Amino acid sequence: MSLRAPNQAAADPVEELRFAPAEQDSDGEAVWEPVAVDPSRPISQTNPPRRSPHHAQTPRATAGEVERRIAEAQLWIAQRLPLVEIRAKAGESWGVNNIKTINRYLDLARERMVEELITDRRRHQAEQIFALNECARRAMDAEQFSAAVGAFRVIAEIGGLLRAPIKPPEPRA
């Protein structure tokens, strides 16, 4: 059961992560309360304050930190790193070991990558064509002409010049 009011729209997951800290100072750093001591126990030399033994409280990520983490997750996805390695790097870089939190960042990074690919389709096509031209040039320099022809065929497909299959269908007997 949702705690939202019926007229309130579901929050964007990126915005949820961006505005995770309750408060931020003017520099965008999280403002957070330290772990509270147990008020029922008087504090003295023989009776020190109790703190949460299970985990130390860490500040929530600021808006800038969330953006950096999403960009870093995009890089790791683009590098096709194994999930185990991504989780280890997230623990080192972000100080996050919770699998659900890491998966949430990865999901958001994937969504953003798809959105960027859709919105910047022409730029991506141009980048791929440029890279394939370089590949074809190197293949020709190495006298690997079949590889060069294959690169030019893919360039033609990306550019929309080649729509039919290269080889005609084989006749059926």
Side-chain angles (χ1 to χ4, degrees), residues 131 166-167:
I166 292 181
K167 295 180 182 177

Side-chain angles (χ1 to χ4, degrees), residues 116-117 119-129:
E116 288 172 2
L117 182 62
T119 57
D120 298 339
R121 186 178 178 99
R122 294 273 185 218
R123 184 175 57 85
H124 284 290
Q125 283 178 331
E127 289 173 357
Q128 297 304 317
I129 288 172

Side-chain angles (χ1 to χ4, degrees), residues 67-149:
E67 289 297 321
R68 187 188 68 76
R69 289 177 182 181
I70 292 172
E72 201 168 12
Q74 286 178 317
L75 174 66
W76 295 333
I77 291 168
Q79 291 173 339
R80 302 186 55 84
L81 294 178
L83 188 57
V84 173
E85 198 171 324
I86 289 175
R87 287 181 179 156
K89 285 186 175 234
E92 293 169 12
S93 179
W94 309 339
V96 174
N97 293 318
N98 185 327
I99 293 172
K100 288 184 178 184
T101 304
I102 294 171
N103 285 340
R104 194 169 172 193
Y105 279 111
L106 291 173
D107 290 342
L108 290 170
R110 287 184 193 104
E111 283 178 25
R112 194 174 278 183
M113 290 172 82
V114 169
E115 288 172 12
E116 288 172 2
L117 182 62
I118 291 169
T119 57
D120 298 339
R121 186 178 178 99
R122 294 273 185 218
R123 184 175 57 85
H124 284 290
Q125 283 178 331
E127 289 173 357
Q128 297 304 317
I129 288 172
F130 180 79
L132 283 166
N133 269 327
E134 178 67 19
C135 179
R137 185 190 61 76
R138 286 184 179 179
M140 286 189 293
D141 290 346
E143 296 184 3
Q144 296 177 347
F145 299 111
S146 62
V149 169

Side-chain angles (χ1 to χ4, degrees), residues 36-44 47-51:
V37 296
D38 185 359
S40 65
R41 299 182 62 215
I43 298 172
S44 68
N47 193 11
R50 289 188 185 161
R51 297 197 179 267

